[in-house]
Amino acid sequence: MTDYQSDLLRLLNDRGYIHQLTDATGLDALASKQVVPGYIGFDATAPSLHVGSLVQIMMLRRLQQAGHKPIVLMGGGTTKVGDPSGKDESRKMLSAADIEANIESIRRIFDNFLAFGDGPADAVLVNNADWLDKLNYVDMLRDIGPHFTINRMLTFESVKLRLDREQPLTFLEFNYMILQAYDFRELANTQDCKLQLGGSDQWGNIVNGIELGRRMDGKQLYGLTTPLIATADGGKMGKTAKGAVWLNADQLPPYDYWQFWRNTQDADVGRFLRLFTDIELGEIARLEALEGSEINEAKKVLADAATAMAHGEGAAKDAAATAQKTFEQGQVGGDLPVFETTDDEISILNALVSIGFCASKGEAKRMVAGGGARVDDEQVKDAGFMVSLSNEDRKISAGKKKHGLLRKIN
């Protein structure tokens, strides 16, 4: 079904968010006649979310734009367990204090994307530790356990992935899908939540929650998943040589964030404009039709819009100005990444690794051998080259798109 009647499903469909729906007709009818509260869960495994979570954040934004209520669920409880979905190994256990600190850091991200308040369509943020931490284990086994069979749980991709690769799946993690289902039931009862949204890897967990709500409370609940967001060459969205593309400015400077979007592959520009910006669809169609060098203008529009949404208009303008100085005018922009050292000199290999342009000295050596390393726009051909440092910054470049500053400090 693609001939949707509700503003919500039309918006999500037109911008490319819909992969699977549990009951398209039912959700479309419900969204046409009332405000639909919908939620997505985010575990607090780090002080920031990264670009891999951005499509989910944007889904909540679309929900609000269509007049419905976003519920941001922070996994203060489930982070203590660990979601095995998409993972082939157990993740490090965090203390309660670490989890709480991460939640406080992450919640600032959502202020840039959603309007919070007490109105019917205002966003709210809740923490599943508020109910999961209070559960009595025996009571939960008795009340919730009968609605889950081991036979069915073993069929979920998150479980099969671990077993097929002969990787350990702890009993703790095996419980995650039960806790996520319980979250949906809890939100349905306390927040009148009707819809859970998530990535395609969450389909099984979402269906579990819908089933639990129906069996225990007789409620009609809905689920919607997004497609896996990969780049045109099949790579994972948000993975770079420098690591994850974080959404918090203290984890990743706005200039680096802007540059990530500016480096989007030509074939991804239109899709990313639809998913990650509010630019009107007609204008997106014009931008993605540009060819040759003109497509770079569309990439700048994408970078400006995405950075303004995450970090504000001022940060986006500063990043664009720095890029123009660096790339087009040959000057040194003020927002470039900086590596500081007290040493009088640094090897070109250490410099490339320390500033984050290469993941290892081996990769840096290949960069030099391939002619991609430059200091003050002069090509460096010797892997043993030492960069002398004084009171003035030295510009270091890797390829045509990565530029930074080497700075001596006293």
Side-chain angles (χ1 to χ4, degrees):
M1 174 182 176
T2 57
D3 186 22
Y4 298 117
Q5 302 302 306
S6 64
D7 291 341
L8 174 62
L9 292 190
R10 282 202 303 266
L11 175 61
L12 294 178
N13 183 66
D14 290 348
R15 287 192 172 261
Y17 292 95
I18 298 178
H19 177 58
Q20 294 168 297
L21 276 162
T22 56
D23 179 1
T25 302
L27 179 58
D28 194 34
L30 186 70
S32 296
K33 66 182 181 182
Q34 70 175 68
V35 173
V36 176
Y39 93 95
I40 300 177
F42 301 87
D43 279 347
T45 56
S48 173
L49 300 175
H50 54 71
V51 162
S53 299
L54 187 56
V55 70
Q56 310 307 328
I57 297 172
M58 291 299 297
M59 283 252 282
L60 291 175
R61 183 178 176 88
R62 302 302 183 210
L63 190 72
Q64 191 166 54
Q65 287 174 337
H68 301 282
K69 187 177 188 68
I71 300 172
V72 179
L73 174 65
M74 293 307 307
T78 42
T79 301
K80 298 172 184 175
V81 175
D83 182 4
S85 300
K87 315 284 193 312
D88 57 9
E89 61 182 17
S90 300
R91 66 188 179 194
K92 185 181 75 171
M93 299 294 288
L94 298 176
S95 69
D98 287 340
I99 292 171
E100 186 59 35
N102 287 345
I103 290 174
E104 286 302 311
S105 180
I106 289 170
R107 67 185 303 154
R108 298 196 304 267
I109 295 171
F110 292 98
D111 289 332
N112 298 319
F113 293 88
L114 302 171
F116 288 84
D118 299 323
D122 286 340
V124 295
L125 187 144
V126 295
N127 184 343
N128 63 14
D130 291 345
W131 54 86
L132 294 182
D133 285 358
K134 299 174 183 176
L135 287 176
N136 178 291
Y137 183 63
V138 173
D139 287 345
M140 184 176 181
L141 286 179
R142 185 192 63 202
D143 297 339
I144 309 300
H147 300 290
F148 294 83
T149 66
I150 296 296
N151 314 59
R152 187 170 185 226
M153 293 169 79
L154 288 173
T155 67
F156 290 122
E157 286 300 318
S158 58
V159 175
K160 289 169 61 179
L161 177 68
R162 291 280 188 89
L163 299 182
D164 290 346
R165 297 186 183 183
E166 298 184 352
Q167 295 281 353
L169 176 69
T170 67
F171 179 71
L172 182 67
E173 293 170 292
F174 196 56
N175 278 271
Y176 189 95
M177 62 186 77
I178 298 177
L179 297 180
Q180 186 167 328
Y182 189 86
D183 283 344
F184 200 175
R185 180 187 177 230
E186 175 75 15
L187 291 173
N189 289 330
T190 61
Q191 303 283 340
D192 196 29
C193 183
K194 304 291 187 185
L195 172 66
Q196 184 180 172
L197 306 142
S200 57
D201 62 337
Q202 295 296 317
W203 178 252
N205 291 335
I206 291 173
V207 170
N208 275 338
I210 291 172
E211 283 293 298
L212 187 64
R214 180 184 63 80
R215 292 180 180 185
M216 295 194 72
D217 307 308
K219 291 182 180 287
Q220 175 65 61
L221 305 176
Y222 303 90
L224 187 157
T225 64
T226 59
L228 175 67
I229 307 299
T231 54
D233 62 2
K236 191 172 182 179
M237 169 72 179
K239 296 297 287 184
T240 70
K242 294 177 68 174
V245 180
W246 300 105
L247 298 178
N248 273 0
D250 51 1
Q251 297 286 115
L252 184 77
Y255 173 79
D256 289 342
Y257 190 77
W258 188 95
Q259 196 63 46
F260 165 77
W261 294 105
R262 170 62 180 81
N263 291 339
T264 295
Q265 297 175 45
D266 293 2
D268 289 326
V269 172
R271 184 164 60 108
F272 286 2
L273 282 166
R274 281 186 285 274
L275 289 171
F276 301 116
T277 80
D278 289 340
I279 296 172
E280 193 268 332
L281 291 174
E283 175 64 6
I284 293 175
R286 183 190 72 80
L287 289 168
E288 69 178 329
L290 297 175
E291 297 180 348
S293 61
E294 289 186 340
I295 194 67
N296 289 328
E297 295 307 310
K299 294 179 183 180
K300 292 176 186 176
V301 171
L302 169 61
D304 287 346
T307 306
M309 193 176 295
H311 298 295
E313 294 282 352
K317 290 179 180 177
D318 289 344
T322 295
Q324 183 181 25
K325 288 179 181 178
T326 303
F327 294 106
E328 299 174 15
Q329 300 173 9
Q331 301 174 21
V332 176
D335 288 340
L336 293 179
V338 177
F339 173 69
E340 297 180 335
T341 178
T342 57
D343 295 334
D344 293 327
E345 60 180 12
I346 183 173
S347 74
I348 186 63
L349 301 186
N350 281 336
L352 288 167
V353 172
S354 297
I355 204 163
F357 292 164
C358 295
S360 65
K361 285 188 177 181
E363 183 182 331
K365 188 176 290 186
R366 291 189 292 273
M367 173 72 69
V368 172
R374 297 187 306 283
V375 174
D376 292 335
D377 297 323
E378 292 292 329
Q379 190 179 69
V380 176
K381 300 180 180 179
D382 177 9
F385 179 79
M386 300 297 293
V387 184
S388 61
L389 302 173
S390 59
N391 293 329
E392 294 187 1
D393 293 342
R394 302 293 301 274
K395 179 183 175 184
I396 184 171
S397 304
K400 296 180 179 180
K401 296 181 178 180
K402 295 180 181 178
H403 305 275
L405 301 176
L406 301 177
R407 178 175 298 161
K408 180 184 177 181
I409 56 175
N410 296 322

